[in-house]
């Protein structure tokens, strides 16, 4: 086999079973300062082997961050069972093992010599929190494989999802569902074992309907549309009625998705050029918005919508999407339907590299939007960043149940904090009937890396903030007193360190 010159070559070969898998995962991975990708000469590589387990010695898939002496980083994974074998050029490396934010992390340092094999002590990750036991399962609503413009095989995406602690994920390739049968029929991957019982990952159907006038996820279906439906004809493009044609086609896309039982989602509404629906539809055109079930207010390519920076900028477009979502929620008082918020990584590559130069851009307290964006992209561009934690309760993990819960807004979106709260035993997206002027929210909030602030948002305005000092948990009830009106709504935002953030779907006053 020829030496692989790029990570893309490696991943494509891996997807065809030519490298990686249960054998040796060769990492032609660590970027030079110029961003060039150097091949790994197999003749000189050493092999690092081992496995990842939980506290009870149950093996499980996990993430392995490989860092060389210059600070360049590669994001690798175990295989589906939790074993790994990584070929590395001679040198010193730090391997950081992790599995989402509900587990501890473990570091191992190894000095690799040419042609030698190293068996590392088991990386034993301790569970710190169990959202699954409380009915909330983490998932990813937007990701791509090499069946469209991604670089990964479907089975690699599944392992990456499970390794990051996700229990479900939608495969949403552009205008194709060719990977869907493989994605939901591949042998089951165990995410976590509790009480001796394995919990398996569930791959779910999806398509990103990619048009000249916005991108739209069809969740829960493999629906694809004709080219005519996704593009303007030359006569339409030059017509004085161009915007009317576009509007009708956007309506048609939503109608097609919902008629086959899918969840119609507006993806990255303010994405530049032709990718965001909000660039084509006035925010008060409720006839169009009402046909869509959900809005992706947090796309993993851009900064979290936390409002740390409010500048209108393509890097900060999630914040604009959040404000548009608030506007749609406020239309419920005029009889318009509820629109649920989702998050999705829009991930096209499960592995990830960051040169030492890019890693050096990470700052704990960014002073500018550029610094914030650099920190986010250097630390958080992978499956599950953000994750959409969805409430299943006692219902089984199925695609049908996931779609119903996502459409109903029984979820929160996060890049770290786990926010499991109820109001009068109601979960997010549900109506709360009050007997007086006080709403009490019972909180169960956790973040492995600490909590910085909780915000209470009513009808789009922050009415209360709770400053925290790095505590890992918050369990105090939050009360909001005011003269409530029907269809008022309340949600929580939770901030952790740097770019860690969570936002819930709202409780709705009935």
């Amino acid at each position: 086999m020829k030496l692989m010159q790029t990570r893309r070559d490696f991943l494509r070969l891996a997807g065809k079973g030519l490298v990686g898998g249960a054998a040796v995962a060769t990492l032609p991975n660590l970027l030079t300062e110029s961003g060039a990708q150097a091949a790994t000469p197999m003749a000189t590589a050493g092999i690092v082997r081992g496995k990842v387990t939980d506290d009870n010695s149950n093996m499980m898939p996990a993430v392995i961050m490989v860092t060389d002496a210059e600070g360049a980083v590669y994001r690798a994974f175990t295989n589906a069972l939790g074993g790994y074998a990584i070929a590395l050029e001679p040198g010193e490396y730090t391997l950081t093992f992790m599995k989402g934010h509900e587990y501890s992390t473990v570091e191992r340092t190894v000095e690799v010599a040419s042609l030698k094999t190293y068996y590392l002590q088991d990386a034993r990750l301790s569970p710190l929190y169990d959202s699954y036991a409380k009915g909330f399962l983490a998932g990813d609503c937007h990701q791509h494989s090499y069946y469209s413009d991604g670089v990964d095989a479907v089975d690699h995406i599944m392992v990456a999802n499970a390794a990051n602690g996700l229990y479900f994920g939608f495969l949403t390739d552009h205008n194709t569902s060719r990977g869907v049968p493989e994605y939901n029929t591949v042998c089951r991957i165990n995410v976590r074992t509790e009480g001796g019982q394995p919990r398996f990952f569930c791959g779910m159907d999806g398509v990103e309907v990619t048009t000249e006038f916005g991108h739209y996820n069809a969740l829960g279906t493999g629906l694809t549309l004709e080219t005519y439906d996704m593009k303007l004809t030359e006569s339409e493009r030059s017509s004085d009625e161009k915007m009317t044609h576009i509007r009708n086609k956007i309506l048609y896309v939503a109608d097609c998705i919902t008629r086959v039982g899918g969840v119609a989602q507006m993806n990255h509404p303010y994405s530049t050029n032709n990718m965001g629906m909000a660039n084509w539809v006035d925010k008060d055109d409720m006839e169009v918005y009402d046909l869509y079930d959900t809005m992706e207010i947090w796309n993993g390519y851009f900064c979290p919508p936390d409002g740390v920076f409010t500048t209108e900028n393509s890097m900060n477009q999630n914040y604009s999407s959040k404000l548009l979502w608030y506007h749609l929620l406020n239309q419920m008082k005029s009889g318009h339907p509820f629109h649920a918020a989702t998050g999705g990584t829009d991930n096209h590559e499960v592995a990830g590299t960051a040169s030492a130069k890019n890693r050096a851009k990470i700052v704990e307290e960014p002073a500018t939007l550029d610094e914030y964006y650099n920190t986010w992209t250097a630390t958080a561009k992978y499956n599950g960043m953000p994750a959409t934690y969805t409430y299943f309760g006692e219902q089984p993990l199925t695609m049908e149940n996931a779609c119903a819960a996502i459409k109903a807004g029984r979820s929160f979106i996060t890049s770290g904090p786990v926010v499991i709260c109820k109001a009068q035993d109601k979960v997010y997206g549900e109506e709360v009937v009050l007997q007086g002027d006080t709403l009490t929210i019972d909180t169960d909030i956790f973040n492995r890396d600490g909590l910085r602030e909780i915000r209470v948002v009513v009808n789009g305005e922050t009415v209360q903030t709770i400053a925290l000092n790095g505590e890992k948990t918050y369990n105090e009830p939050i009360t909001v007193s005011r003269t409530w009106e029907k269809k008022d709504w309340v949600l929580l935002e939770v901030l952790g360190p740097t770019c860690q953030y969570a936002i819930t779907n709202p409780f709705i006053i009935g």
Side-chain angles (χ1 to χ4, degrees):
M1 182 186 300
K2 292 183 179 179
L3 293 177
M4 292 165 284
Q5 297 301 312
T6 68
R7 178 161 35 91
R8 179 180 290 267
D9 293 337
F10 169 74
L11 291 168
R12 289 195 181 280
L13 290 173
K16 296 177 181 178
L18 300 178
V19 297
V24 177
T26 306
L27 300 185
N29 51 355
L30 300 181
L31 293 176
T32 65
E33 285 302 316
S34 66
Q37 190 77 54
T40 299
M42 292 294 292
T44 61
I47 307 297
V48 179
R49 294 181 179 272
K51 62 184 179 180
V52 179
T53 74
D54 63 16
D55 282 344
N56 295 315
S57 298
N58 298 302
M59 290 179 66
M60 60 184 183
V63 177
I64 309 170
M65 297 290 286
V66 183
T67 308
D68 70 8
E70 284 70 45
V73 178
Y74 187 86
R75 188 176 187 83
F77 301 90
T78 67
N79 62 23
L81 299 177
Y84 64 91
I86 304 175
L88 295 170
E89 275 289 89
E92 182 177 282
Y93 298 89
T94 299
L95 276 59
T96 304
F97 300 87
M98 57 184 65
K99 190 182 179 69
H101 283 78
E102 296 188 25
Y103 273 86
S104 65
T105 63
V106 169
E107 282 192 359
R108 298 273 188 268
T109 300
V110 58
E111 182 74 33
V112 176
S114 177
L115 303 178
K116 290 192 174 181
T117 299
Y118 302 84
Y119 293 88
L120 299 188
Q121 179 184 358
D122 291 356
R124 195 175 295 266
L125 305 182
S126 300
L128 306 175
Y129 193 87
D130 190 1
S131 59
Y132 186 109
K134 301 178 183 185
F136 279 86
L137 281 63
D140 194 333
C141 295
H142 192 170
Q143 47 192 338
H144 299 271
S145 75
Y146 63 14
Y147 282 106
S148 60
D149 59 344
V151 300
D152 297 293
V154 169
D155 58 332
H156 288 184
I157 295 173
M158 297 186 76
V159 172
N161 278 232
N164 283 304
L166 304 183
Y167 288 98
F168 69 92
F170 291 91
L171 185 65
T172 55
D173 278 316
H174 296 282
N175 295 332
T176 181
S177 56
R178 287 184 297 166
V180 164
E182 182 182 353
Y183 191 61
N184 56 30
T185 58
V186 170
C187 61
R188 294 194 295 173
I189 298 173
N190 182 21
V191 179
R192 177 169 174 168
T193 300
E194 285 294 330
Q197 297 299 313
R199 301 171 179 171
F200 295 107
F201 177 84
C202 182
M204 298 180 181
D205 303 359
V207 172
E208 184 167 18
V209 180
T210 306
T211 77
E212 287 188 6
F213 26 81
H215 293 189
Y216 309 89
N217 266 357
L219 301 178
T221 174
L223 172 77
T224 57
L225 301 182
E226 298 293 335
T227 301
Y228 173 83
D229 300 319
M230 298 179 291
K231 292 185 177 181
L232 296 173
T233 65
E234 288 305 315
S235 62
E236 290 171 336
R237 190 172 288 110
S238 60
S239 168
D240 292 339
E241 301 297 319
K242 174 183 175 180
M243 295 308 296
T244 299
H245 291 305
I246 289 174
R247 184 179 185 276
N248 288 337
K249 287 178 180 287
I250 293 174
L251 288 167
Y252 180 71
V253 169
D255 184 59
C256 288
I257 296 171
T258 55
R259 274 193 290 113
V260 297
V263 176
Q265 174 167 295
M266 301 167 272
N267 286 351
H268 40 70
Y270 283 99
S271 197
T272 55
N273 299 324
N274 64 353
M275 294 189 291
M277 173 176 156
N279 297 315
W280 303 98
V281 180
D282 186 89
K283 71 175 185 177
D284 293 315
D285 191 347
M286 295 306 297
E287 181 184 358
V288 177
Y289 284 106
D290 285 356
L291 284 186
Y292 285 87
D293 301 306
T294 63
M295 176 184 289
E296 183 185 64
I297 68 166
W298 188 350
N299 181 285
Y301 266 78
F302 312 105
C303 292
D306 49 25
V308 172
F309 296 94
T310 58
T311 309
E312 289 189 9
N313 185 289
S314 61
M315 296 183 297
N316 203 31
Q317 62 183 257
N318 286 323
Y319 178 70
S320 298
S321 298
K322 182 182 75 171
L323 296 184
L324 175 60
W325 177 54
Y326 285 178
H327 173 71
L328 297 184
L329 291 178
N330 285 332
Q331 304 312 305
M332 290 191 292
K333 291 187 177 182
S334 300
H336 294 282
F338 168 70
H339 294 82
T342 69
T345 62
D346 198 1
N347 205 29
H348 290 66
E349 183 175 359
V350 299
T353 58
S355 69
K357 183 184 296 183
N358 288 337
R359 299 290 293 182
K361 294 179 181 178
I362 299 172
V363 291
E364 291 299 320
E365 296 184 6
T368 67
L369 178 58
D370 283 344
E371 287 182 348
Y372 199 43
Y373 180 74
N374 289 334
T375 299
W376 168 257
T377 55
T379 59
K381 280 181 62 60
Y382 56 87
N383 303 87
M385 293 293 275
T388 299
Y389 274 69
T390 304
Y391 183 70
F392 286 77
E394 299 297 325
Q395 294 182 318
L397 173 56
T398 66
M399 183 175 71
E400 292 73 20
N401 288 338
C403 286
I406 287 170
K407 181 177 178 179
R410 296 194 291 269
S411 60
F412 65 91
I413 314 162
T414 184
S415 60
V418 181
V419 187
I420 297 179
C421 302
K422 291 187 176 182
Q424 294 187 352
D425 290 327
K426 301 294 184 180
V427 297
Y428 311 123
E430 295 183 334
E431 288 197 352
V432 179
V433 179
L434 298 178
Q435 301 302 317
D437 293 335
T438 299
L439 172 71
T440 300
I441 300 173
D442 298 311
T443 66
D444 183 355
I445 302 174
F446 167 82
N447 191 26
R448 180 192 64 198
D449 301 324
L451 299 166
R452 181 156 52 100
E453 183 178 87
I454 299 172
R455 302 173 187 158
V456 182
V457 178
V458 177
N459 298 340
E461 300 293 333
T462 301
V463 300
Q464 184 178 344
T465 60
I466 302 169
L468 300 171
N469 296 309
E471 299 94 325
K472 296 182 184 298
T473 61
Y474 186 86
N475 302 108
E476 299 296 323
I478 296 173
T479 59
V480 186
S481 297
R482 59 188 288 136
T483 301
W484 297 97
E485 296 180 1
K486 191 175 179 65
K487 299 301 180 181
D488 281 345
W489 52 270
V490 185
L491 61 78
L492 299 180
E493 295 180 289
V494 179
L495 281 71
T498 317
C499 301
Q500 293 186 22
Y501 169 74
I503 181 171
T504 74
N505 270 284
F507 299 106
I508 302 166
I509 304 301

